[in-house]
Amino acid sequence: MTLRRNVAETARFLYSAMVISDNHPPLHGLGPRTRLGGLDRGALGAADVAAQSVSAMAPCGAAAAIPVLVAGQGGPVVLSMAVAFVLALIVSWLVRGFARRVPAAGSLYTCAAVGVGPMSGFITAGALLLGYLGIGMFAVTETSAFWLRLASSVGMTAHGWLVAAAALGFAALSGVVLVRGIRLSARVSLVTETVAVLLVVAVSVWLLCHGDERRLHDAVLAPIPDLGRLASSVAVAMTAFVGFESATVLAVETRNPLRTVPAAVRGSLLVGGAVVLLATLAQAETLSGTTTTSWFQALTADPGGRALVPAVYLAAALSFFACALASTTAAARVLLSLSREGVLPAALGHTDLRSKAPTVGIWLCTAIVFGVPFAVSACGADAEAVCGSLVAAAVCGFLLAYAALAGAMPALLRRLGEPSRVAWVIGPACALALTAVLAGFWGLTLAGPLWTGALTSAAWMLAWTLVGFRLRGRRPDAFASMGAHAGTVRSSVWRGYLRSTS
């Protein structure tokens, strides 16, 4: 009886000492479920969660497309990619600090909501949705482009109706995979991205072995034209590394999330970043000086490398398709979290009884991610301009979300009773650096040919903020309770304690 009483008192103390509560149950007992119930809790292992972050990063697709976009900004390609990678490492350290303490489906916006306040969390959620959906639409556009290049490289002619049918087929396939459950979509992303990574690494090594060492040296040590262009180049380079934090949206569905998710965030960034930096070095020669051709031209010009071109096209297409799946997964769970908090319509929080997937949110995000590029292409818009605008909008969203996380992390730690002097130094400094990069990038983009992306991001965030103020006035209780996470439920506690409190 004494042991039983001690266990019960300890459980009561731990529960009452929880600083954050997502369902606010009475102190005399735990609730039967959290507000994030209905998801496939504890279904994913370490490899599945890492696949989400690696796929969202799409290192192979990023390696094939982003360095060319960085070179178009006029800054040094290798230096810009290296600075962006360092910034991503700092942000990942902050993300891991959050993931080690709060398992949530809302990703970074939950940290901002708990640390700073509901309005900050709501604005961060809008920035995340802009980033996930924008990068997803970019991935779909690039997937179609690389499949067309692959068909052309092997001598096939793709007619317009065939391209449209293939796009609709990919949309239906991705939707079916996602609504069948997170385990299936995670395994598909893992296999797809693994094949793509192996192909890109092989091609990059071949290019480095057959390249000019002197030109590579000059490209690595290229001078900096001015700080404005460097900031713009770093912002675009960040696109190659964003998405590593998306493993946090699967914390509720992960076994041992407080340990597995931080490891997945760190491992995915290290692996994906290494692939991107290796590929950047491999094509640095073709992007230095006034030459901004991609590595596909370098491969085509070499008789030995011509056979590798279809492999690069295939790797990029597979990687971008996995990125579209991962981005849709992350955006759907952000919508689910907002819905369960009572901020968005309840339908977005519906989960299927069998697959335990947020089906309504998945189909909505799938329609946006695949439907918008399809509609834009049908209107005859320039594919390169569309891709650049989508990248610009997604960059603005991710940089804003990362800056919000960096600013909110010290406040979150203090609220949890774990104040950190290091976080108080690194967090605000990282937030200021990201804000400066965002401001410089947005200004240069607005004055350039991709101004539609800058205007779209500004219009989206303004509209989202106005909706937030309106919701705060109409639903103050729901808005004030933002920050839902997977807390302790009755099934997680020893049954003897439950009997003693009944």
Side-chain angles (χ1 to χ4, degrees):
M1 290 297 295
T2 302
L3 176 61
R4 182 175 174 180
R5 187 180 302 108
N6 290 338
V7 171
E9 291 176 356
T10 302
R12 288 176 186 269
F13 172 78
L14 291 176
Y15 177 70
S16 61
M18 291 177 62
V19 177
I20 308 169
S21 178
D22 63 334
N23 54 357
H24 301 286
L27 293 179
H28 64 269
L30 299 178
R33 55 184 293 170
T34 71
R35 283 190 289 177
L36 298 176
L39 295 172
D40 199 359
R41 190 162 180 166
L44 301 178
D48 299 322
V49 180
Q52 165 67 26
S53 282
V54 174
S55 299
M57 287 181 64
C60 303
I66 301 304
V68 179
L69 297 176
V70 173
Q73 299 295 321
V77 178
V78 177
L79 178 61
S80 299
M81 299 295 284
V83 172
F85 182 60
V86 172
L87 283 176
L89 287 174
I90 297 174
V91 175
S92 73
W93 180 78
L94 296 170
V95 172
R96 294 200 309 273
F98 161 69
R100 280 195 294 264
R101 293 167 174 85
V102 182
S107 187
L108 308 185
Y109 97 78
T110 303
C111 175
V114 174
V116 179
M119 181 54 69
S120 176
F122 189 81
I123 294 175
T124 306
L128 281 175
L129 289 174
L130 176 63
Y132 287 139
L133 295 177
I135 211 70
M137 288 185 282
F138 168 72
V140 169
T141 305
E142 288 292 284
T143 299
S144 303
F146 279 108
W147 279 119
L148 289 176
R149 295 179 188 178
L150 178 61
S152 177
S153 66
V154 296
M156 296 176 59
T157 302
H159 300 284
W161 63 269
L162 182 60
V163 175
L168 292 177
F170 276 121
L173 175 63
S174 64
V176 170
V177 169
L178 290 170
V179 299
R180 288 291 300 274
I182 187 60
R183 279 180 285 188
L184 176 62
S185 62
R187 300 293 166 79
V188 171
S189 299
L190 177 62
V191 173
T192 303
E193 202 62 50
T194 300
V195 174
V197 164
L198 293 177
L199 289 173
V200 165
V201 169
V203 173
S204 299
V205 171
W206 188 92
L207 280 173
L208 288 174
C209 293
H210 291 77
D212 188 341
E213 294 184 4
R214 184 171 183 178
R215 291 186 62 186
L216 177 61
H217 180 269
D218 294 338
V220 172
L221 300 179
I224 302 174
D226 58 76
L227 293 179
R229 292 194 177 277
L230 177 62
S232 181
S233 300
V234 170
V236 175
M238 283 290 293
T239 313
F241 307 106
V242 296
F244 63 87
E245 84 295 334
S246 65
T248 57
V249 303
L250 302 180
V252 180
E253 299 158 274
T254 303
R255 293 189 294 272
N256 302 319
L258 301 183
R259 180 178 60 186
T260 304
V261 173
V265 170
R266 178 180 56 191
S268 61
L269 180 59
L270 292 177
V271 173
V275 173
V276 172
L277 293 178
L278 177 64
T280 301
L281 288 175
Q283 52 189 314
E285 296 179 31
T286 63
L287 300 175
S288 61
T290 58
T291 305
T292 57
T293 56
S294 65
W295 56 353
F296 303 111
Q297 283 78 4
L299 289 172
T300 304
D302 192 291
R306 202 167 298 160
L308 298 176
V309 174
V312 177
Y313 289 152
L314 177 61
L318 291 175
S319 183
F320 276 125
F321 179 69
C323 177
L325 289 178
S327 301
T328 305
T329 298
R333 277 152 181 80
V334 172
L335 291 177
L336 176 138
S337 183
L338 289 170
S339 174
R340 295 293 180 86
E341 291 169 342
V343 177
L344 293 185
L348 295 173
H350 169 75
T351 54
D352 185 74
L353 292 177
R354 174 177 294 182
S355 65
K356 299 184 178 181
T359 52
V360 177
I362 286 174
W363 284 118
L364 175 62
C365 294
T366 300
I368 295 174
V369 167
F370 286 88
V372 172
F374 180 79
V376 171
S377 300
C379 295
D382 182 34
E384 292 185 3
V386 171
C387 287
S389 298
L390 290 173
V391 167
V395 165
C396 292
F398 277 116
L399 288 178
L400 182 58
Y402 291 163
L405 166 75
M409 190 61 197
L412 174 68
L413 292 177
R414 186 175 67 174
R415 183 174 181 184
L416 293 176
E418 303 177 37
S420 171
R421 294 181 180 179
V422 177
W424 276 107
V425 173
I426 294 180
C430 182
L432 288 175
L434 291 172
T435 303
V437 171
L438 172 59
F441 170 75
W442 192 87
L444 289 176
T445 304
L446 187 63
L450 304 179
W451 57 271
T452 54
L455 281 183
T456 300
S457 62
W460 167 263
M461 292 309 304
L462 178 61
W464 185 265
T465 303
L466 293 177
V467 169
F469 281 111
R470 183 178 178 86
L471 288 173
R472 188 174 66 174
R474 297 182 60 183
R475 305 176 187 174
D477 295 338
F479 205 83
S481 65
M482 286 184 63
H485 75 290
T488 306
V489 295
R490 291 176 182 171
S491 59
S492 303
V493 182
W494 181 45
R495 292 183 180 181
Y497 166 68
L498 298 181
R499 287 196 299 267
S500 66
T501 59
S502 59

